[in-house]
Amino acid sequence: MTSLASSSEKSVAINVDQLSFRYGQRAALNALNLQVDAGLLFGLLGPNGSGKTTLFRILSTLLPIQSGSVSILGVDVATQPQQIRHLIGVTFQSPSLDGKLTVYENLLHQSRLYGLSRETGKKRISESLSQLGLHSRGNDLVETLSGGLKRRTEIAKSLLHRPELLLLDEPSTGLDPAARIDLWRFLQQIRHDGQTTIVLSTHLMDEADRCDHLALLAQGELIAQGRPRDLKHDLGERYLSIQAADLDEMAHLLRSELSLDVQILPDQLRIDHPDPENLLTVIMERYRDLVLQITLGRPTLEDVFIQKTGHQFWGSPADEFSKG
């Protein structure tokens, strides 16, 4: 297939410019700007209602673009959806396998849908089975497979036409811990073995930490983007978490008497400070009777989310919405 994009355009896998999408009166995406460089394992992290599923559906050409623009490898999604479908492989959260067919048969039917010749299809199926560690499972009925093996089969289907961009919607949903570890090992292998850019959506912090690059979404907007370690490093080395019987009173005292910048969360106070160890000592000396628990910790991606939005990742306002 002849590429439609220039080499300079193809260094960018995805370019999203002022993308907005509404479900009735609610904005699922609000003037979103996002760029994904080619060759990365890129994560879209956000709670339910953050917009990541809506963005995923637009990238995979399942939803129309209402406002703004999106290009994949230099090809416009709105005007050239058929070309986009040749460039991408998609693994949806919902299963798409036929349990009554074998692994090989599922891949064979998919190869025909892609328009691959019999010879090319057989070669690609063999390559995909080997790449995903499924060669010994080719003759197994899909309904007999574990959740992890089914998900690998889904990904193998998505790779048959050798896409330059692989989109994965919550790929570890329903997998046990061991299967999740295996899945991530294969994702890293796919990225290192070829020229495939991988973009996945997730709401799991540990998965987001494994990505090369990350975009944090909240209520349809990009709130932070960068390498996970850089995003956490920007918050400093340590933070204080305080539980108290009266959080509002405790926050008032810390602000008025110690001039601290305090974030009030539903069950705790958070304080970012350049010298948290010394501050912990000061707080315990002055407010011991008010403090139920005080913890010194290292910043996590959830702390990045809290710092950017003022609320926790789980139970955030975005969770009020079912779509996105």
Side-chain angles (χ1 to χ4, degrees):
M1 182 181 67
T2 301
S3 175
L4 301 176
S6 69
S7 59
S8 60
E9 288 173 322
K10 290 184 68 174
S11 63
V12 176
I14 298 173
N15 188 61
V16 177
D17 184 29
Q18 293 291 299
L19 181 64
S20 295
F21 192 94
R22 302 185 69 86
Y23 295 100
Q25 297 301 310
R26 183 178 73 83
L29 296 172
N30 185 20
L32 179 68
N33 292 308
L34 179 67
Q35 182 172 297
V36 179
D37 291 337
L40 295 178
L41 200 170
F42 191 99
L44 301 171
L45 174 66
N48 293 335
S50 63
K52 62 184 188 298
T53 298
T54 298
L55 176 59
F56 186 92
R57 290 172 178 168
I58 291 173
L59 293 174
S60 56
T61 73
L62 292 179
L63 284 178
I65 294 176
Q66 295 178 346
S67 176
S69 64
V70 180
S71 63
I72 292 178
L73 297 161
V75 181
D76 185 72
V77 173
T79 61
Q80 298 173 291
Q82 283 299 115
Q83 289 87 336
I84 292 294
R85 291 165 193 157
H86 285 285
L87 294 173
I88 65 174
V90 185
T91 297
F92 296 102
Q93 187 174 343
S94 300
S96 65
L97 300 172
D98 189 327
K100 299 300 181 181
L101 300 180
T102 66
V103 170
Y104 185 90
E105 288 168 340
N106 270 272
L107 269 60
L108 180 61
H109 286 295
Q110 188 70 21
S111 73
R112 291 173 177 169
L113 289 174
Y114 282 135
L116 302 179
S117 67
R118 182 180 298 273
E119 182 179 349
T120 300
K122 290 176 63 176
K123 180 182 178 182
R124 298 281 181 85
I125 290 170
S126 179
E127 290 172 350
S128 290
L129 290 175
S130 295
Q131 190 173 25
L132 274 297
L134 293 166
H135 223 293
S136 63
R137 300 285 190 161
N139 293 322
D140 292 358
L141 291 175
V142 164
E143 65 184 4
T144 68
L145 301 179
S146 66
L149 290 174
K150 288 179 181 177
R151 190 53 51 88
R152 278 195 252 164
T153 303
E154 297 263 15
I155 296 174
K157 282 178 56 180
S158 302
L159 294 172
L160 287 175
H161 62 304
R162 294 180 177 171
E164 296 181 59
L165 174 66
L166 179 62
L167 299 172
L168 306 174
D169 187 17
E170 302 277 358
S172 62
T173 297
L175 301 186
D176 59 48
R180 286 178 58 201
I181 292 172
D182 283 344
L183 172 66
W184 273 89
R185 185 173 71 249
F186 287 115
L187 292 182
Q188 294 286 359
Q189 178 183 322
I190 291 167
R191 185 177 68 81
H192 288 298
D193 282 354
Q195 301 299 314
T196 305
T197 303
I198 300 174
V199 175
L200 62 89
S201 63
T202 185
H203 61 273
L204 301 175
M205 297 293 175
D206 63 320
E207 288 193 350
D209 255 323
R210 298 180 184 181
C211 295
D212 300 323
H213 209 82
L214 193 64
L216 274 68
L217 302 180
Q219 295 181 276
E221 298 182 357
L222 177 69
I223 61 170
Q225 183 175 349
R227 294 185 299 178
R229 66 173 180 269
D230 292 340
L231 293 172
K232 291 181 288 186
H233 180 74
D234 288 345
L235 296 185
E237 292 296 322
R238 303 275 182 147
Y239 70 91
L240 283 179
S241 173
I242 301 173
Q243 294 181 358
D246 190 329
L247 292 179
D248 290 331
E249 178 189 5
M250 189 74 204
H252 172 72
L253 291 172
L254 294 173
R255 288 166 177 164
S256 61
E257 297 181 4
L258 299 181
S259 300
L260 294 173
D261 183 12
V262 181
Q263 283 187 305
I264 304 178
L265 303 176
D267 59 351
Q268 61 186 278
L269 304 178
R270 288 289 182 96
I271 303 172
D272 296 318
H273 194 271
D275 188 5
E277 290 88 352
N278 183 58
L279 179 60
L280 185 152
T281 302
V282 171
I283 291 174
M284 290 307 298
E285 287 177 350
R286 298 186 61 166
Y287 310 110
R288 182 179 299 274
D289 293 340
L290 301 177
V291 173
L292 298 177
Q293 181 175 310
I294 187 166
T295 305
L296 180 64
R298 295 187 180 279
T300 65
L301 288 173
E302 182 169 12
D303 296 315
V304 176
F305 190 88
I306 290 170
Q307 194 272 336
K308 297 292 185 181
T309 66
H311 53 72
Q312 290 174 295
F313 188 86
W314 298 107
S316 70
D319 283 336
E320 297 173 6
F321 304 114
S322 61
K323 291 183 180 180

